[in-house]
Amino acid sequence: MGDHLAEIGRRLRAYRLGKNLTVSRIAEQIGVSRAAVYRLERGELVKIETLEKISDLLEISLPSLMGVGVEYYASAISFFERMRQLEENAVHVLGNFSPFSFLLLSDEYLGHLRTMLMEGIAATHRDPAAVRAVIDGVMAILEARRRVAARRHTPVLSIVSGPDVERFLHSGLVGRFDLPAEVVRERRRAAAREVERLAALLVHPPIGVQIGIVEDQAPSQTFQVFEAKDSVAVTLSPYRLGDHPNITSGIAMVTATPEAVRLFKSTITEQWSRAHKGEAGARMLETLLGRMPQ
């Protein structure tokens, strides 16, 4: 029961952040004390009537808040906060990422990612300030994820698609297509540095890190399996953190249903069995680096 309540509290925090609501605001809207909301986020016992009021306020279903079936996230802030929570307790993270796991990217990449997200805001967007606020929120969560992963040395198995890496190298770290040629060349060089780093990790992987390069195209939605001591969850995400990143459109999902866990773990196992690993994987990346535009 305690673990289940703790998960409800974590989901509540994720949904609340996505709605940009403070604890005080939620307490005021549903007629309870701030302390009651804080207790709920800490995973303490709460009345079902309170959960119903909160789910109505957050515009989510009560089953989603309680983790029954599938959790749906229309906000990148909510989803990445939920991922951060899952990683915090994970003993193993398995995934098919595009172009590769965020946890394997360099510290330098964070600066490039912010730039890409900012320059991807359409000039005609009706509320660019709101998008910039979302970017700030997502970046804060991503930085927290990296700190936790570095401290815990989170074990990661990353399936990498060769075509995804090649597109990453050709596009460069850009958020839109109409950048000056010299900027694009520099962004391609930055992408190449990330791939060179990945090649080095293949040859000399840190403890707990496993990387495999597959030759075929990865699914359009990335997915990850988070294995904790007593639970397993699968995430599916339309959000992209590579070239031409996207954090503003799409619906992400989280589920712990046994069938989903089995199918996605089976997919990763099959991909891993035929992936290029170690020096063979590094050679494959070097070939892709040799084909990138200058």
Side-chain angles (χ1 to χ4, degrees):
M1 173 65 86
D3 287 345
H4 181 60
L5 290 173
E7 281 298 301
I8 291 175
R10 294 185 187 109
R11 281 188 288 272
L12 167 57
R13 174 180 167 81
Y15 284 122
R16 175 174 68 77
L17 291 176
K19 286 287 187 181
N20 195 28
L21 289 173
T22 64
V23 167
S24 297
R25 182 67 172 157
I26 286 183
E28 177 187 337
Q29 288 289 305
I30 67 172
V32 300
S33 67
R34 286 187 304 166
V37 180
Y38 278 121
R39 285 198 299 272
L40 177 52
E41 288 199 356
R42 288 198 301 268
E44 297 181 17
L45 196 61
V46 69
K47 294 179 180 178
I48 191 66
E49 292 85 356
T50 303
L51 289 178
E52 288 173 341
K53 290 178 181 177
I54 290 176
S55 64
D56 287 343
L57 178 61
L58 295 174
E59 299 179 301
I60 58 171
S61 70
L62 184 58
S64 286
L65 182 58
M66 297 186 70
V68 178
V70 180
E71 306 163 33
Y72 296 96
Y73 294 92
S75 157
I77 290 178
S78 292
F79 177 68
F80 285 118
E81 168 62 16
R82 189 71 180 110
M83 280 187 63
R84 185 197 65 77
Q85 295 168 1
L86 292 168
E87 282 171 353
E88 208 167 35
N89 296 308
V91 296
H92 207 187
V93 178
L94 319 170
N96 196 314
F97 312 90
S98 179
F100 39 93
S101 172
F102 174 76
L103 299 180
L104 300 180
L105 292 161
S106 71
D107 291 337
E108 176 191 0
Y109 192 83
L110 278 176
H112 287 298
L113 178 58
R114 180 181 287 278
T115 299
M116 287 188 285
L117 290 168
M118 289 293 186
E119 69 191 12
I121 301 173
T124 57
H125 197 285
R126 65 183 182 278
D127 193 354
V131 181
R132 288 193 290 270
V134 170
I135 291 170
D136 289 341
V138 167
M139 292 302 301
I141 293 168
L142 293 178
E143 288 163 7
R145 284 177 59 197
R146 287 181 67 82
R147 288 194 298 272
V148 169
R151 185 178 73 246
R152 295 185 67 239
H153 302 287
T154 304
V156 176
L157 185 151
S158 180
I159 301 294
V160 180
S161 160
D164 270 2
V165 171
E166 190 156 19
R167 187 201 63 244
F168 180 72
L169 289 168
H170 279 249
S171 292
L173 306 187
V174 299
R176 64 175 194 261
F177 286 105
D178 60 342
L179 296 173
E182 182 50 45
V183 172
V184 172
R185 283 192 290 271
E186 173 49 40
R187 301 291 185 82
R188 284 173 175 161
R189 289 191 287 269
R193 290 195 293 273
E194 295 298 326
V195 175
E196 288 164 355
R197 182 174 183 273
L198 183 66
L201 291 176
L202 274 156
V203 178
H204 301 291
I207 293 173
V209 171
Q210 298 172 281
I211 305 167
I213 317 295
V214 294
E215 296 181 11
D216 51 344
Q217 185 66 55
S220 57
Q221 276 199 321
T222 61
F223 63 86
Q224 297 177 78
V225 179
F226 296 88
E227 296 183 326
K229 247 181 188 178
D230 303 311
S231 62
V232 186
V234 173
T235 65
L236 288 91
S237 172
Y239 305 121
R240 290 174 41 80
L241 299 179
D243 56 292
H244 300 281
N246 160 47
I247 60 166
T248 58
S249 60
I251 309 297
M253 293 176 280
V254 179
T255 180
T257 57
E259 182 180 18
V261 170
R262 177 179 59 80
L263 289 171
F264 283 103
K265 286 186 71 172
S266 174
T267 297
I268 291 173
T269 299
E270 188 277 327
Q271 289 179 318
W272 182 253
S273 69
R274 57 186 171 80
H276 298 270
K277 309 171 189 74
E279 292 187 358
R283 286 194 298 272
M284 184 175 173
L285 293 182
E286 288 162 5
T287 297
L288 297 178
L289 282 162
R291 294 208 298 254
M292 70 177 287
Q294 299 303 311

